[in-house]
């Protein structure tokens, strides 16, 4: 996970943790290819606004693709200076204007033109944790089309698998379970101390993340290795349209009816994974499996789940993560 550490110069950059300059992100082949194709499709002759410019990567692509004007918005002073210096070195200052400001505080004094296309990579593994919905909504006062246009989320169900603890970002522990006989009082005291700081609800009903697994699965298959980690159910896609004001004002929530789940799920632990893809423009898509991002995921324990209960999932902006009930 990246952080929002404020910087004032490149000397303060941490290229392995700071938002906007996170080296694994700007090295992300799948993401870079997808956005480059989308930008080359829409930029020629257009007025572009790049929200969250970071190093200036997308702004440079837009200018080189023939954009008439590019507004490059970056809230961090250090990254804004870095992008501005980069634009000058590349001789693109006549086309690209770097603005050091939080986009959500920008107005017509900052961006006087109507915008043809807004382009933003403000997405994280929880999908919506970098304010892309607020950014898309705020952009409407300048007109234009937001890229990505839609986020399509598909809940997939998998059999429980020993690989899951290895690929989860965080521990799934919600109580003290030493798996040996010690002393009842000792176990209760440790458990009470732990749960005083980490309530079971904070773990049981909050999504974790799977990193790298789905990106690596095709390589295992190519080598003839079958991990037997297969999807056994796929829910109807849930779509968030970032160009529809009414859609993005609504809560992001959906559920799987208990009778839709495979019989296996009645008797065994299973995992839910939220796969997603971004519809950039026209026929261009970006699948999470082709990028660095992880997928929200959660193991549903059979002894915790209420029998015949639907599984409800929703994004909670207060914790910048997905919650669920079951």
């Amino acid at each position: 996970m990246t952080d929002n550490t404020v910087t004032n110069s490149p000397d303060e950059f941490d290229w392995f943790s700071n938002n906007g300059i996170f080296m694994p992100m700007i090295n992300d082949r799948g993401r870079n290819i997808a956005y480059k194709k989308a930008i080359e499709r829409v930029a020629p002759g257009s007025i572009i606004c790049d929200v969250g410019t970071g190093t200036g990567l997308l702004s440079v692509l837009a200018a080189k693709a023939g954009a008439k004007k590019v507004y490059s918005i970056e809230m961090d002073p250090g990254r804004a200076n870095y992008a501005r210096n980069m634009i000058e070195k590349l001789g693109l200052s006549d086309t690209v204007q770097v603005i050091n400001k939080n986009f959500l505080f920008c107005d017509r004094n900052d961006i006087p033109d109507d915008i043809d296309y807004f382009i933003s990579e403000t997405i994280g593994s929880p999908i919506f944790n970098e304010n892309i919905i607020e950014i898309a909504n705020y952009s409407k006062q300048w007109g234009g089309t937001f890229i990505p246009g839609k986020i399509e989320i598909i809940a997939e169900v998998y059999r429980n698998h020993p690989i899951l603890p290895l690929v989860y970002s965080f521990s799934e522990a919600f109580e003290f379970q030493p798996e040996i006989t010690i002393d009842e009082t000792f176990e209760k005291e440790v458990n009470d101390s732990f749960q005083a700081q980490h309530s079971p609800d904070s773990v049981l009903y909050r999504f974790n993340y799977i990193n790298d697994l789905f990106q690596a699965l095709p390589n295992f298959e190519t080598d003839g290795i079958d991990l037997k980690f297969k999807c056994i159910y796929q829910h109807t896609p849930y779509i968030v349209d970032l160009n529809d004001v009414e859609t993005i004002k609504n809560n992001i929530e959906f559920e799987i009816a208990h009778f839709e789940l495979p019989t296996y799920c009645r008797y065994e632990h299973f995992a839910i994974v939220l796969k997603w893809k971004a519809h950039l423009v026209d026929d261009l898509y970006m699948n999470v499996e082709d990028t660095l991002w992880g997928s929200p995921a959660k193991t549903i324990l059979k002894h915790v789940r209420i029998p015949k209960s639907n599984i409800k999932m929703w994004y909670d902006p207060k914790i910048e993560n997905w919650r669920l009930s079951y």
Side-chain angles (χ1 to χ4, degrees):
M1 299 288 285
T2 55
D3 61 52
N4 290 315
T5 299
V6 176
T7 66
N8 291 291
S9 76
D11 294 337
E12 299 174 359
F13 285 0
D14 185 337
W15 292 84
F16 288 100
S17 68
N18 294 163
N19 268 339
I21 59 165
F22 185 51
M23 187 55 67
M25 178 192 73
I26 60 178
N27 274 344
D28 189 346
R29 181 175 182 272
R31 182 192 327 220
N32 290 341
I33 289 174
Y35 271 91
K36 186 172 189 289
K37 286 181 178 179
I39 288 169
E40 290 175 342
R41 180 77 60 87
V42 304
S46 296
I47 299 178
I48 304 292
C49 184
D50 170 18
V51 182
T53 197
T55 61
L57 189 155
L58 300 186
S59 293
V60 170
L61 290 177
K64 285 182 171 291
K68 178 181 178 181
K69 174 76 175 181
V70 181
Y71 290 97
S72 185
I73 315 299
E74 175 53 57
M75 66 187 296
D76 180 78
R79 295 196 292 270
N81 287 331
Y82 185 90
R84 188 177 292 112
N85 291 335
M86 180 67 73
I87 297 303
E88 290 176 359
K89 287 179 181 179
L90 297 179
L92 298 174
S93 297
D94 290 342
T95 302
V96 182
Q97 178 183 346
V98 178
I99 299 172
N100 178 203
K101 195 170 185 178
N102 184 331
F103 175 70
L104 298 177
F105 297 138
C106 287
D107 55 30
R108 285 283 181 168
N109 292 320
D110 304 299
I111 309 171
D113 293 315
D114 289 339
I115 301 298
D116 295 311
Y117 294 95
F118 285 89
I119 300 171
S120 184
E121 284 186 313
T122 48
I123 303 172
S125 291
I127 311 175
F128 303 109
N129 63 312
E130 293 187 13
N131 292 333
I132 195 167
I133 291 177
E134 291 83 355
I135 290 168
N137 192 28
Y138 194 75
S139 73
K140 299 299 178 284
Q141 61 190 288
W142 286 275
T145 300
F146 197 87
I147 297 175
K150 297 178 181 178
I151 306 292
E152 181 178 307
I153 306 164
I154 301 177
E156 295 185 344
V157 174
Y158 291 78
R159 293 176 184 269
N160 192 36
H161 195 285
I163 200 171
L164 287 171
L166 304 179
V167 296
Y168 274 143
S169 295
F170 308 106
S171 171
E172 288 280 278
F174 64 93
E175 62 183 355
F176 179 48
Q177 296 175 314
E179 304 296 339
I180 58 172
T181 301
I182 308 175
D183 179 277
E184 288 186 5
T185 300
F186 176 87
E187 292 179 19
K188 183 179 185 305
E189 287 297 319
V190 171
N191 201 44
D192 288 348
S193 298
F194 171 74
Q195 292 187 347
Q197 294 187 32
H198 306 280
S199 68
D201 286 1
S202 69
V203 177
L204 287 172
Y205 305 111
R206 179 185 297 195
F207 271 80
N208 207 325
Y209 305 101
I210 289 178
N211 292 316
D212 304 324
L213 175 62
F214 294 104
Q215 290 85 340
L217 282 179
N219 296 326
F220 285 105
E221 293 172 0
T222 299
D223 292 339
I225 301 172
D226 185 2
L227 295 182
K228 301 186 185 302
F229 186 64
K230 306 292 184 183
C231 175
I232 59 175
Y233 171 81
Q234 191 175 77
H235 192 54
T236 304
Y238 179 87
I239 296 175
V240 178
D241 188 341
L242 297 174
N243 284 299
D244 184 337
V245 173
E246 293 307 314
T247 298
I248 59 182
K249 282 183 179 178
N250 296 330
N251 293 331
I252 301 172
E253 58 185 9
F254 57 97
E255 68 180 80
I256 302 175
H258 69 90
F259 55 81
E260 296 180 44
L261 291 167
T263 303
Y264 170 92
C265 300
R266 299 178 191 172
Y267 310 106
E268 302 293 341
H269 306 324
F270 61 93
I272 291 183
V273 180
L274 300 185
K275 296 279 194 69
W276 60 270
K277 65 179 179 180
H279 175 216
L280 299 177
V281 64
D282 299 333
D283 59 341
L284 299 178
Y285 289 84
M286 177 177 64
N287 293 300
V288 63
E289 299 99 319
D290 297 329
T291 72
L292 177 74
W293 284 299
S295 297
K298 187 64 187 174
T299 297
I300 308 297
L301 302 175
K302 61 182 179 181
H303 58 282
V304 174
R305 182 175 172 231
I306 300 172
K308 295 185 178 181
S309 61
N310 295 343
I311 299 176
K312 298 180 181 180
M313 294 157 278
W314 65 97
Y315 181 76
D316 185 349
K318 293 181 180 178
I319 63 168
E320 298 183 340
N321 196 359
W322 290 80
R323 291 188 183 275
L324 73 168
S325 64
Y326 50 87

